[in-house]
Amino acid sequence: MATAATNFLAASVVVVRNSTVEEVGAEALAVPLTPWKRATPEAPNNYIPTEVDCPSTRPTIRSAASLSNEELAWLPIRRNNTVRAMRDLLTRVNIAGFDAGAYLDTHSSNASNLPNIGIAASGGGYRALMNGAGNIAAFDSRTANSTGAGHLGGLLQSATYLAGLSGGGWLVGSLYVNNFTSVQRIIDTTPDTSGSLWQFGNSIFEGPATGKIQLLSSAQYYSNVYAAVSAKANAGFNTTITDYWGRALSYQLVNATDGGPAYTFSSIADDSEFTSGSAPMPILIADGRALGELLIPSNTTVFEFNPWEMGTFDPTTFAFAPLRYTGSNFSAGVVPDNVKCVRGYDNAGYVMGTSSTLFNQFFLQINGTNTTTKVPQALISGITSVLKDVGQAGDDIADWVNPFYHYNNATNLNAQSRRLTLVDGGEDLQNIPLHPLIQPIRNVDVIFAIDSSADTVAPAAAGWPNGTSLVATYQRSLNASLQNGTVFPTIPDTNTFVNLGLNNRPTFFGCDLANMTGQTPLIVYLPNSPYVYKSNVSTFDPAYNNTERDAIIQNGYDVATQGNGTRDAQWPACVGCAILSRSLNRTNTPLPAVCTQCFQRYCWDGTVNSTAPTPYNPKPVLTEINVRSGAARFDATGLALVAAVSAVVALIM
């Protein structure tokens, strides 16, 4: 068994709950980081959406026939800012026989000729956040040692888009609400510096641990969550379990007092790191689902949230609303002249919660935890009241004020409703958020698709991907009524994924444009698999101590780099070839010989083996990390949660 050349967490100070003497000593030697920057708390009244005077140019709904003016203005800034990082990365990965630096220099005056990169982080709860974090850390040049031989640091700085869904959305949202901080920086800090940020040792049942930053007891924590949601309801807005879930989630993901109740997702648009084009554009995904429906139909509308807007390219609604003014009473595409606008509806935690409503089940299990004595009766009564209003079939919805009311009446399924009910973005089986990145109007060339899904089930080792998400996106692309011009590479069935080992190593899909019916991104599929840790932890484990958190992040780093090139020394060059492929095609540049070799090795060649696979039980590729698990303490709760969710949904997450 091989040993990874470099441990990216080696420079980190790992703080473990219930620390030993040695661990306490290590914590004492930790150097506090400079004060954290955070996004702007722009909501006028914390979690309560509040009426304000509309701007002189009143907000309107726009057609999805184009990108927003804001995105169009931002794109040239970002694309030009990626050139230096991309040049550094592509020269460093050493594509033999090809001068990547000279190629980029030749075409840098026209950024549209250069590679346009997207990254997509799948859902899957805390597993997806941590595995996704490892992949993102591998792509981030700010990570210690990430720009050495065998590494891929700089790919994040070269990307235009970064999409997340459910647990992957927590990752993306958390990084951006904290001013596009790095995974390395979060891992290196301590609770005394950053409070409960990414401190998963205390589950949402308990609330954050008390310390220098966090002074709340569990009872106060629950009271604060209840008070925020109640205040929103008292202001006349519908609330659901998602409000409670989003507020609780914020304590772990937003580095601010009480989880930053005034922090909005649209405030990212004002962050200097983003406006200067120094970071990719973040996108979160949710699915539309009508009240009373138990399963997501195949033609569900897929909604995206970005710093400027929420909306969809799907031909049904085919519209976008200004995110900053969601909560306002839009009608037929405008806010009527006699009506005020609303600000603060797009709370960052609520947006992240909307993308991950499957985890409302956590709050539905409060009565079954040992924290019940700390939970205010008012909170339990509030949750019970919500369930009476929406019914059991609605316990996993987020209830938004519908900005698309009376808009596109002929095709918009929600045109006649003041409510827009949204659910976890993975409930339609598209657990990797590819939808916004395959839109032709965005011209993405290559997507690094991080799959943390838990598709495999007993008698195999449960909790590993098997390509289900890619299959779902491919099948949807064949639906002429939904595709909106999108083209997606052919994807084999899930049995083929397992039989051919496509779920155990990186695979490229869509390598040969000649076989495509139109322009489509090359998909670099990065399935979660064991390198140094068996990271197939349950989607519904609610707590992890820092050692297990860091082990899963380390494993994700190794997934992205194939153990820093240990599994394949040519892997970094092959990543470079995948990045360049569409650009080389556009500029009529011959494919380097090493890229031909890479594509022969990593591109799916059309082979299919649909027979039932033998039980999938992958072994760690490198020397396994031995850690003390924090999740084991919650086995009973995890089992109750799994039982509470429909088998279909639980399977794909």
Side-chain angles (χ1 to χ4, degrees):
M1 182 176 292
T3 302
T6 305
N7 182 340
F8 100 97
L9 293 175
S12 305
V13 177
V14 179
V15 183
V16 187
R17 300 192 181 282
N18 303 316
S19 305
T20 64
V21 173
E22 292 80 4
E23 290 160 349
V24 171
E27 180 180 356
L29 294 173
V31 179
L33 298 177
T34 55
W36 283 75
K37 298 188 302 176
R38 288 185 284 272
T40 308
E42 293 188 347
N45 194 13
N46 287 322
Y47 193 68
I48 308 170
T50 304
E51 286 189 345
V52 297
D53 291 335
C54 292
S56 56
T57 301
R58 296 178 73 83
T60 59
I61 307 302
R62 71 167 184 88
S63 165
S66 66
L67 298 177
S68 69
N69 291 334
E70 293 85 355
E71 186 173 347
L72 288 171
W74 174 86
L75 275 169
I77 301 172
R78 177 57 185 168
R79 293 298 306 278
N80 287 321
N81 276 0
T82 65
V83 175
R84 182 175 179 180
M86 196 180 303
R87 189 185 193 282
D88 177 71
L89 171 65
L90 292 177
T91 54
R92 186 167 20 91
V93 297
N94 191 25
I95 302 173
F98 179 74
D99 191 338
Y103 176 81
L104 291 184
D105 292 343
T106 299
H107 297 286
S108 61
S109 60
N110 183 1
S112 64
N113 277 334
L114 298 181
N116 189 12
I117 302 170
I119 302 171
S122 83
Y126 291 100
R127 178 189 64 251
L129 184 156
M130 294 179 287
N131 178 63
N135 280 260
I136 295 301
F139 297 155
D140 191 344
S141 60
R142 297 171 295 178
T143 301
N145 306 316
S146 69
T147 57
H151 297 258
L152 299 174
L155 197 156
L156 179 63
Q157 283 70 25
S158 304
T160 307
Y161 298 101
L162 176 58
L165 179 160
S166 198
W170 307 344
L171 166 65
V172 174
S174 182
L175 294 178
Y176 279 84
V177 174
N178 294 295
N179 288 64
F180 194 55
T181 190
S182 67
V183 173
Q184 180 78 69
R185 191 177 186 200
I186 293 174
I187 295 303
D188 281 350
T189 191
T190 70
D192 286 343
T193 302
S194 58
S196 55
L197 184 67
W198 288 28
Q199 297 298 313
F200 306 134
N202 274 30
S203 78
I204 61 163
F205 296 124
E206 302 168 87
T210 56
K212 292 182 181 179
I213 302 295
Q214 177 59 53
L215 302 177
L216 292 179
S217 66
S218 292
Q220 290 171 313
Y221 157 74
Y222 279 120
S223 293
N224 286 2
V225 169
Y226 172 72
V229 178
S230 295
K232 178 180 176 180
N234 291 337
F237 294 90
N238 292 336
T239 57
T240 64
I241 307 298
T242 304
D243 288 275
Y244 294 100
W245 167 239
R247 280 279 64 234
L249 195 62
S250 296
Y251 282 78
Q252 296 182 333
L253 301 182
V254 181
N255 180 31
T257 302
D258 294 339
Y263 286 76
T264 59
F265 201 79
S266 60
S267 73
I268 296 170
D270 298 324
D271 173 38
S272 60
E273 193 81 9
F274 178 68
T275 58
S276 66
S278 299
M281 174 176 157
I283 304 174
L284 269 56
I285 294 295
D287 290 337
R289 197 189 78 191
L291 275 174
E293 288 183 335
L294 291 175
L295 297 176
I296 286 284
S298 60
N299 64 344
T300 188
T301 302
V302 178
F303 290 86
E304 74 169 58
F305 297 84
N306 64 56
W308 302 292
E309 298 182 306
M310 71 158 298
T312 179
F313 289 103
D314 284 355
T316 46
T317 305
F318 199 61
F320 281 85
L323 183 61
R324 181 163 293 173
Y325 293 103
T326 51
S328 303
N329 283 317
F330 287 90
S331 181
V334 299
V335 178
D337 289 339
N338 62 340
V339 175
K340 284 195 167 189
C341 288
V342 170
R343 289 285 303 274
Y345 192 83
D346 64 311
N347 173 269
Y350 187 56
V351 173
M352 289 187 276
T354 296
S355 182
S356 60
T357 62
L358 184 67
F359 297 89
N360 288 354
Q361 296 294 330
F362 280 166
F363 258 92
L364 297 180
Q365 299 299 315
I366 280 179
N367 280 327
T369 72
N370 60 8
T371 62
T372 304
T373 56
K374 304 174 185 177
V375 181
Q377 184 58 44
L379 175 58
I380 296 175
S381 299
I383 293 174
T384 302
S385 176
V386 164
L387 289 177
K388 286 180 180 178
D389 290 340
V390 301
Q392 289 298 135
D395 62 19
D396 64 338
I397 66 165
D399 198 346
W400 283 68
V401 175
N402 185 11
F404 310 111
Y405 179 66
H406 283 177
Y407 188 86
N408 279 351
N409 290 320
T411 57
N412 179 6
L413 302 177
N414 297 293
Q416 305 308 313
S417 175
R418 286 286 188 182
R419 305 169 71 180
L420 178 65
T421 48
L422 304 177
V423 296
D424 193 294
E427 287 199 26
D428 63 350
L429 301 184
Q430 295 187 92
N431 202 34
I432 306 174
L434 298 169
H435 183 272
L437 306 183
I438 63 174
Q439 299 303 318
I441 202 167
R442 284 196 166 124
N443 298 304
V444 175
D445 291 323
V446 57
I447 303 173
F448 289 84
I450 304 164
D451 194 358
S452 307
S453 303
D455 301 322
T456 59
V457 296
W464 300 108
N466 68 4
T468 291
S469 180
L470 292 187
V471 172
T473 300
Y474 169 59
Q475 290 176 341
R476 195 178 200 269
S477 74
L478 302 178
N479 186 331
S481 67
L482 289 174
Q483 64 178 218
N484 189 35
T486 58
V487 178
F488 198 73
T490 302
I491 303 295
D493 61 274
T494 57
N495 283 354
T496 294
F497 266 85
V498 178
N499 286 326
L500 301 186
L502 307 182
N503 67 328
N504 188 247
R505 61 174 178 80
T507 303
F508 300 169
F509 295 95
C511 295
D512 188 357
L513 269 177
N515 290 333
M516 301 291 111
T517 58
Q519 188 68 27
T520 182
L522 175 68
I523 306 298
V524 177
Y525 181 59
L526 299 171
N528 183 28
S529 55
Y531 275 76
V532 294
Y533 191 70
K534 293 177 181 176
S535 54
N536 58 327
V537 293
S538 169
T539 301
F540 294 100
D541 278 342
Y544 299 86
N545 63 38
N546 285 0
T547 49
E548 185 166 30
R549 177 199 68 182
D550 293 352
I552 295 173
I553 293 174
Q554 175 66 59
N555 191 80
Y557 189 102
D558 288 327
V559 166
T561 63
Q562 294 210 64
N564 310 333
T566 303
R567 198 175 190 184
D568 178 4
Q570 205 173 36
W571 172 240
C574 293
V575 169
C577 292
I579 291 172
L580 285 163
S581 176
R582 298 295 193 254
S583 176
L584 295 174
N585 182 269
R586 273 196 302 278
T587 58
N588 296 312
T589 303
L591 194 68
V594 68
C595 292
T596 299
Q597 296 169 14
C598 286
F599 288 174
Q600 289 172 346
R601 189 179 316 160
Y602 286 104
C603 292
W604 177 58
D605 62 3
T607 301
V608 172
N609 180 353
S610 302
T611 60
T614 57
Y616 176 65
N617 289 289
K619 306 299 181 185
V621 176
L622 308 174
T623 302
E624 189 169 4
I625 297 173
N626 184 21
V627 304
R628 188 176 68 235
S629 171
R633 293 175 292 137
F634 297 86
D635 282 350
T637 302
L639 289 172
L641 290 168
V642 172
V645 184
S646 69
V648 172
V649 175
L651 176 62
I652 60 97
M653 290 300 293

